[in-house]
Amino acid sequence: MKASISSERARAKSMVFSLAFNEFYVEMSRMVTQRFDGDIDRFFILAAISVASVAQVMSDEDKARKYASIDRRIEEDYAYIKLLPLAEITGRRRATVRRKVAKLMEMGYVERDPARGYRVAKGSMADCPQLRAIFEAQLALVLRLFNVLLGGSILLPEPRLKTLQLTG
């Protein structure tokens, strides 16, 4: 079942959606700030490295289905990203990115290959209960956000697989 919403209905719900989005942002910021000792930039840089690392794998439709669940580890090799593109993507200075990445490496989330750059360390996020809690909370918050936007249709996580299903 495909979900759709008319532009009139979306406009009518815009203030409600704006409030839900701000609640999402505040809650995510709170969780990230707690986990990363107040350093939201560190999480932002980790998120950018994560996207760069797994985007190639997840761009394949079959692999995206295979790894849709938060419980499923990606088996393929992750891609690397160099420091300069990472600084450009995040809008941070290279020195700042280098310092934050060094801390992420120290935390065990990121690994470096001198020739290829940085990537997420295999299993590092799946094995971290604090990051897993952030991902699970993020999923719940995103679902709540989309439910507000859809205005009646309800997206629910499938309890065992932690994938989405549309009801309503």
Side-chain angles (χ1 to χ4, degrees), residues 11-159:
R11 199 175 345 307
K13 294 274 188 184
S14 62
M15 188 56 105
V16 173
F17 180 75
S18 177
L19 176 63
F21 179 80
N22 286 330
E23 288 174 344
F24 166 82
Y25 185 76
V26 167
E27 183 61 18
M28 283 304 303
S29 297
R30 183 189 64 76
M31 287 186 299
V32 167
T33 300
Q34 287 175 343
R35 174 64 188 128
F36 289 89
D37 303 320
D39 192 347
I40 291 178
D41 277 352
R42 199 179 321 144
F43 180 78
F44 181 52
I45 290 168
L46 177 61
I49 293 170
S50 298
V51 168
S53 292
V54 300
Q56 184 179 6
V57 174
M58 296 305 277
S59 66
D60 178 286
E61 195 174 305
D62 292 332
K63 290 177 184 171
R65 264 194 303 280
K66 179 179 179 181
Y67 300 120
S69 170
I70 194 172
D71 293 323
R72 191 77 192 262
R73 281 199 187 180
I74 295 175
E75 298 160 0
E76 285 77 11
D77 277 341
Y78 297 156
Y80 287 87
I81 185 169
K82 298 231 179 213
L83 187 67
L84 181 59
L86 185 56
E88 290 171 350
I89 289 167
T90 61
R92 305 302 190 267
R93 293 183 17 231
R94 278 187 294 185
T96 300
V97 173
R98 186 179 295 112
R99 192 174 61 254
K100 306 284 183 186
V101 169
K103 181 65 176 174
L104 291 168
M105 289 170 56
E106 184 181 304
M107 295 171 80
Y109 297 141
V110 174
E111 59 190 23
R112 179 176 181 263
D113 179 285
R116 297 187 282 178
Y118 304 96
R119 70 177 182 180
V120 172
K122 281 264 192 202
S124 61
M125 291 196 234
D127 293 337
C128 178
Q130 295 94 340
L131 282 178
R132 185 174 178 89
I134 289 173
F135 294 148
E136 289 174 349
Q138 187 176 33
L139 175 62
L141 290 168
V142 165
L143 292 177
R144 185 170 49 179
L145 185 64
F146 281 114
N147 286 335
V148 168
L149 182 61
L150 293 171
S153 296
I154 300 175
L155 291 167
L156 300 170
E158 204 286 329

